[in-house]
Amino acid sequence: MEELLSLQGSIFLLMIAGLVMKKTGIVGETGQKNMTDLVLNLILPCNIIRSFQIEFSWKTMHSFGTILVVSICIQLGCMVLGKLLFGRMSRNKWKCLYYGTVCSNAGFLGNPIAEGVFGSQGLALASIYLIPQRIVMWSSGISVFSGSRDVKALVKKVLTHPCIIACFIGIFLMLTQLSLPGMVQTTINSLANCNTAMSMMVVGMILADLKLREMADPTVLLYSAVRLILIPVLVLIPCSLLGLDSMVTGVSVLLAAMPAGATTSILAAKYDADPGFATKMIIMSTLASVFTTPVWSFLLG
């Protein structure tokens, strides 16, 4: 309990640090984008590789297989939920709401929290969990905004994404139990250690753009409740009834309880689909997650 409170307190202070840096102009829009790219393309992949450097066992492989199936079911369920709950919205708002329901910020925000609550094995499970989401993000998710269904482009994006490559490398190292050269391992460890700090400061920078008056949108509030409460509850119930491994259940529910991803706003702007509304979704759900994530972490951890 004490360790969990310390983790949540540390995460909160890191977000405050990011918020202050953005508010005071120490980091601007370009700097925030560069930090986001640095985390996604270098720091997080190193963190993923390190998370797989654990002792191999068939129990571990069974857990990986189980969470992969759970994640696929969650993605399919979120697609249905997005259509049922928001299908009557205006076309552009529906695009944002559907994408935000299917694709959360689990890859950016969920990884450090999963690691903090469940340790390195929790991070490894989270990395496997995110594979189906990343595939859906670049297929069904993007096609909602663009109308394109380019299978070749999808396969290329999946196979060349740094986090997917890191998963392949990590699984190979786990299966073979090979050790990396000392200087390479030290470098990976040093970069991996930056993940939580960098990720949470970027989240704080997103919160710095918050304008409370603009957030009082009933649809955005409904979306935040669905994303942060309803979806994780719908994941928790069947996982518990099926008696799945407690860590598999915990990681699945925790990552299902993440707010809207920043790509929602990026794609909405690119395809002229109400980026202002998408930004409200991101900021409001991220702000609300500051309160809901500690609750889920406490219940699951």
Side-chain angles (χ1 to χ4, degrees):
M1 177 64 178
E2 185 178 344
E3 290 181 3
L4 188 58
L5 290 174
S6 176
L7 168 68
Q8 297 296 343
S10 175
I11 286 174
F12 180 76
L13 291 176
L14 287 167
M15 286 192 289
I16 293 297
L19 186 149
V20 171
M21 286 196 296
K22 184 71 180 293
K23 283 288 189 183
T24 56
I26 295 174
V27 177
E29 292 294 335
T30 302
Q32 180 179 335
K33 181 182 182 302
N34 291 339
M35 286 180 67
T36 302
D37 290 340
L38 179 63
V39 172
L40 289 176
N41 296 315
L42 179 61
I43 293 174
L44 181 54
C46 287
N47 207 24
I48 290 171
I49 291 173
R50 186 178 68 172
S51 72
F52 280 99
Q53 293 177 312
I54 55 180
E55 185 177 348
F56 171 76
S57 70
W58 289 112
K59 181 181 179 182
T60 301
M61 291 303 294
H62 181 266
S63 296
F64 285 175
T66 302
I67 201 166
L68 185 64
V69 172
V70 170
S71 179
I72 292 171
C73 292
I74 290 172
Q75 292 305 124
L76 294 174
C78 285
M79 289 179 187
V80 174
L81 195 63
K83 290 180 179 179
L84 287 177
L85 293 179
F86 306 115
R88 295 185 178 181
M89 298 288 176
S90 65
R91 186 63 181 172
N92 283 339
K93 284 189 176 181
W94 176 79
K95 290 179 180 180
C96 297
L97 290 164
Y98 176 83
Y99 183 88
T101 302
V102 174
C103 305
S104 71
N105 202 16
F108 193 84
L109 181 60
N111 271 303
I113 294 177
E115 183 181 24
V117 176
F118 298 105
S120 60
Q121 189 172 352
L123 177 59
L125 287 170
S127 302
I128 298 296
Y129 173 98
L130 286 166
I131 293 174
Q133 177 170 301
R134 288 191 167 107
I135 293 173
V136 170
M137 182 185 298
W138 297 317
S139 54
S140 175
I142 289 182
S143 69
V144 166
F145 284 105
S146 66
S148 172
R149 299 183 181 275
D150 190 337
V151 177
K152 185 177 179 180
L154 164 65
V155 173
K156 182 179 178 181
K157 281 197 171 187
V158 170
L159 295 179
T160 59
H161 192 283
C163 291
I164 300 295
I165 294 173
C167 283
F168 292 148
I169 294 173
I171 292 172
F172 173 77
L173 292 174
M174 182 187 70
L175 292 175
T176 60
Q177 293 293 290
L178 290 176
S179 298
L180 295 172
M183 67 176 73
V184 176
Q185 187 65 58
T186 300
T187 302
I188 288 175
N189 290 342
S190 297
L191 289 168
N193 289 335
C194 302
N195 186 54
T196 300
M198 292 285 285
S199 300
M200 294 304 104
M201 284 193 290
V202 171
V203 172
M205 292 172 196
I206 294 174
L207 293 177
D209 297 324
L210 175 66
K211 295 179 181 178
L212 291 177
R213 290 180 181 178
E214 295 181 1
M215 294 304 107
D217 184 323
T219 305
V220 172
L221 294 174
L222 171 63
Y223 166 78
S224 298
V226 170
R227 179 72 263 176
L228 303 174
I229 300 174
L230 178 61
I231 292 175
V233 167
L234 293 177
V235 174
L236 177 61
I237 292 173
C239 285
S240 299
L241 292 175
L242 292 171
L244 299 185
D245 177 78
S246 59
M247 187 175 291
V248 169
T249 298
V251 172
S252 299
V253 175
L254 193 59
L255 267 64
M258 292 295 107
T263 47
T264 310
S265 179
I266 294 169
L267 290 172
K270 182 176 180 179
Y271 295 104
D272 195 24
D274 204 341
F277 179 74
T279 301
K280 290 182 188 180
M281 288 170 51
I282 295 166
I283 294 176
M284 186 66 236
S285 60
T286 301
L287 178 65
S289 73
V290 173
F291 303 97
T292 59
T293 301
V295 174
W296 282 115
S297 299
F298 174 75
L299 293 174
L300 300 166

